[in-house]
Amino acid sequence: MRLVEDGAYRFRIEPSGAMRVPGVVFASRDLLTTADQAVDQVANVAALPGVVDASYAMPDIHWGYGFAIGGVAATDPRDGGVVSPGGVGFDISCGVRLMAADIGEAELRPVLEDVMDGLDPAIPRGMGRGAVWHLPGRRELTGILTGGSRYAVEQGHGDERDLLRCEDAGAVADADPGQVSERAVERGAQQVGSLGSGNHFLEVQQVAEVYDADAAEAFGLRPGQICVMIHCGSRGLGHQICTDHVRAMEKAMPRHGIEVPDRQLACAPVDSPEGRSYLGAMAAAANYGRANRQLLAQATREVFRRVAGARLDLVYDVSHNLAKMEDHRVDGERRRVCVHRKGATRALPPGHPELPPDLRETGQPVLIPGTMGTSSYVLAGVPDGPAFHSTCHGAGRAQSRHQAARGVSGKQLRAEMERGGIAVRASSWRGLAEETPDAYKDVSAVVEASEGAGLCRKVARLTPVGVVKG
């Protein structure tokens, strides 16, 4: 696809063929060097029925299932707009939770190894089963699917602040557990409170740099402070829901007269039975993801309390794989649209009514994990942010997992990180090697492009002290 530079960190794909709207990619030229296939996917998304404004991609763009990872697109149900599971991804409500401790790096360092030794068994992870919360029955799982973090807190796993500082106050509305298959239930029942594998992690960090002192204070962050960042999603339950509903939509598209340029963009009208079924199941998976991070947060708090005598308070919890019905101005009028964010984070601006009162003046916290051994960032939403108030979600892969594992061994990578003062607890050497920092884009360059494109602003930079790896 031909990209035309269209402003600072902004490239445009003019509509052609089946495209109904242009494509817009926010990036630098350097960040685009590994994005060829993904740029084609941006153009394919621009052909979806009912798509409005543009098909967007964030600076961490890379190839994904149907949609590029880093893709954002909105559709209008009044114009036959569709919902596509490929625009959310298999790990529904994968997201990031950040907690801030009441101690600094100097206070943690003497007990760091003890803390990491405590986290190692307390945080279930890897491909198989294992969970913080072993559910006694289907009733409790239904509570999670409908109530998310709120249900977990009601059952004693957290406090009210956890809900005030969580996107959607901890639970997505309109969840429909009846649209979740028995196979999805089976896969999720034994995994509530677990990291999983791949790029999921728990990282102990310190605040290395503050760019916006007022916002950092509102978020509860200060220089030198210890934080914990958790990155995970809806595990096998979310994956199965995506699989089930992609298959259903593939069968339904001919009945709705829908053709797409890539079968991985299987979709159905938002207001159709298939569309409503998927949105209900997706919301249930999103609530599972929120509860999953809530349980992991509680397990982490207990280790910090017991070993370091420290308290952890929630800064924010936000997802980066969701489709949501939102109100946005499109072509000069307010419209209710279905916004797909896949590997992209909502970044609400200052004054937005969905923000908790203590964050309303600053804008929404946006949590951007880096890669092992590199920085992570805390950003904030800005007024008039483009792409339906969206921004990046991480560094973005530049190599496949197979390529990454060929370049370094897990043991070698751990030794390098520990020489740099980062304690490592991994579930497998292969999994560790697959997530080497060399496999990812430069997260600082991604954040620079995001801020330069007007998608967000920097608040703080965090650096790793210890990593628990899935």
Side-chain angles (χ1 to χ4, degrees):
M1 280 292 159
R2 178 172 170 76
L3 288 169
V4 178
E5 197 159 0
D6 190 34
Y9 299 103
R10 183 182 175 115
F11 295 83
R12 183 180 174 92
I13 308 168
E14 292 296 339
S16 63
M19 293 174 66
R20 303 167 190 262
V21 294
V24 174
V25 180
F26 300 103
S28 65
R29 290 192 177 276
D30 286 345
L31 290 171
L32 286 172
T33 56
T34 58
D36 287 349
Q37 283 183 296
V39 171
D40 291 341
Q41 291 184 310
V42 174
N44 288 341
V45 170
L48 288 176
V51 65
V52 298
D53 195 28
S55 169
Y56 290 102
M58 301 296 112
D60 47 337
I61 177 177
H62 55 291
W63 183 87
Y65 183 91
F67 274 58
I69 298 171
V72 176
T75 64
D76 189 339
R78 297 180 307 172
D79 293 335
V82 297
V83 61
S84 173
V88 172
F90 285 90
D91 195 0
I92 297 167
S93 196
C94 183
V96 185
R97 173 170 290 223
L98 182 67
M99 297 182 290
D102 58 356
I103 60 172
E105 194 271 343
E107 297 161 276
L108 177 68
R109 185 60 68 175
V111 294
L112 175 61
E113 291 297 328
D114 293 332
V115 167
M116 298 303 294
D117 287 342
L119 291 172
D120 195 13
I123 303 301
R125 59 201 189 275
M127 288 291 291
R129 292 185 174 185
V132 173
W133 193 2
H134 297 281
L135 303 178
R138 177 69 185 254
R139 182 175 67 85
E140 288 77 14
L141 181 58
T142 298
I144 287 172
L145 297 180
T146 55
S149 291
R150 180 166 296 281
Y151 180 77
V153 169
E154 289 170 354
Q155 300 304 306
H157 302 283
D159 55 46
E160 187 67 21
R161 178 187 165 88
D162 292 338
L163 305 178
L164 297 174
R165 285 296 187 95
C166 186
E167 184 183 20
D168 305 311
V172 179
D174 302 322
D176 186 354
Q179 305 303 324
V180 178
S181 70
E182 284 301 317
R183 176 59 181 146
V185 168
E186 289 172 7
R187 294 184 67 179
Q190 304 301 320
Q191 296 181 331
V192 184
S194 61
L195 275 183
S197 57
N199 63 349
H200 296 156
F201 64 82
L202 181 152
E203 192 165 280
V204 181
Q205 304 169 332
Q206 66 170 320
V207 180
E209 195 169 4
V210 169
Y211 307 101
D212 185 328
D214 290 341
E217 183 179 2
F219 294 174
L221 299 173
R222 66 179 188 275
Q225 184 179 24
I226 288 296
C227 296
V228 175
M229 181 175 281
I230 299 171
H231 175 214
C232 65
S234 51
R235 299 294 322 268
L237 179 134
H239 194 286
Q240 190 64 46
I241 286 172
C242 183
T243 299
D244 293 340
H245 288 269
V246 164
R247 290 171 179 165
M249 289 185 181
E250 284 178 337
K251 295 177 181 177
M253 281 195 298
R255 187 168 68 255
H256 294 295
I258 295 174
E259 294 183 5
V260 291
D262 179 354
R263 62 178 294 274
Q264 293 183 353
L265 291 174
C267 57
V270 170
D271 292 332
S272 68
E274 295 84 8
R276 290 192 296 270
S277 174
Y278 170 70
L279 287 171
M282 183 209 67
N287 288 335
Y288 184 101
R290 308 284 171 84
N292 191 23
R293 291 191 289 276
Q294 182 70 36
L295 268 293
L296 289 169
Q298 282 301 99
T300 303
R301 282 170 167 159
E302 175 56 26
V303 172
F304 268 75
R305 182 199 63 77
R306 174 170 48 83
V307 179
R311 175 183 172 85
L312 292 170
D313 287 322
L314 185 60
V315 174
Y316 206 66
D317 182 297
V318 66
S319 301
H320 47 235
N321 282 357
L322 276 182
K324 301 184 80 169
M325 297 303 301
E326 299 175 358
D327 294 321
H328 290 278
R329 186 165 293 278
V330 179
D331 297 331
E333 63 171 322
R334 298 293 293 181
R335 294 161 74 171
R336 186 80 171 163
V337 293
C338 181
V339 183
H340 300 70
R341 294 185 182 91
K342 178 184 181 178
T345 310
R346 189 166 75 161
L348 297 179
H352 197 283
E354 291 188 36
L355 290 173
D358 63 340
L359 298 179
R360 203 156 288 164
E361 289 187 13
T362 61
Q364 180 202 307
V366 179
L367 310 174
I368 307 300
T371 60
M372 295 183 303
T374 70
S375 297
S376 295
Y377 286 84
V378 179
L379 313 176
V382 295
D384 302 317
F388 310 102
H389 295 302
S390 307
T391 190
C392 59
H393 88 303
R397 287 199 80 95
Q399 296 179 358
S400 70
R401 288 186 167 84
H402 181 68
Q403 289 172 321
R406 284 205 314 251
V408 66
S409 72
K411 290 184 179 180
Q412 177 187 354
L413 181 58
R414 186 181 73 169
E416 291 174 1
M417 292 177 66
E418 292 189 338
R419 282 196 297 271
I422 303 169
V424 179
R425 301 294 185 273
S427 61
S428 77
W429 295 123
R430 169 79 185 196
L432 192 66
E434 289 176 348
E435 298 302 312
T436 174
D438 291 341
Y440 286 84
K441 300 177 184 183
D442 180 349
V443 68
S444 296
V446 168
V447 168
E448 178 186 343
S450 299
E451 187 175 48
L455 299 167
C456 55
R457 73 182 192 279
K458 291 190 295 186
V459 174
R461 182 173 64 88
L462 314 178
T463 53
V465 175
V467 176
V468 177
K469 197 70 189 69

